[in-house]
Amino acid sequence: VAASYKRSVEHVYPIGIRLGQMLGALYYEGINAKNIHAIGHSLGSQILGHVGDSYLKTTGHKIGRITALD
């Protein structure tokens, strides 16, 4: 496995958590959770799992839709 892929994998969790928090901030600025559609491919799909969890913890709501592609 390439070193760059291993490095990318190490960043999946922190990126997902931070993105979930960022989307949570948008929620508190008036963006409805039902209007969010997050789409990810490969590692992006893994990130979105953490995004959804972080968003739920931040807002108490689920993201409207997550699409994971592979």
Side-chain angles (χ1 to χ4, degrees):
V1 176
S4 61
Y5 182 78
K6 287 182 181 181
R7 186 174 57 245
S8 297
V9 169
E10 291 173 4
H11 296 288
V12 164
Y13 180 76
I15 289 171
I17 295 303
R18 185 64 190 112
L19 182 55
Q21 293 168 344
M22 185 203 74
L23 291 174
L26 291 175
Y27 170 81
Y28 289 112
E29 292 297 321
I31 302 296
N32 191 322
K34 293 178 184 178
N35 294 329
I36 298 174
H37 182 183
I39 303 170
H41 175 262
S42 192
L43 285 180
S45 297
Q46 299 296 319
I47 288 171
L48 290 179
H50 299 296
V51 169
D53 186 50
S54 176
Y55 186 85
L56 179 61
K57 288 177 182 174
T58 301
T59 66
H61 298 278
K62 292 183 178 181
I63 289 176
R65 185 174 191 171
I66 294 177
T67 301
L69 307 167
D70 201 16

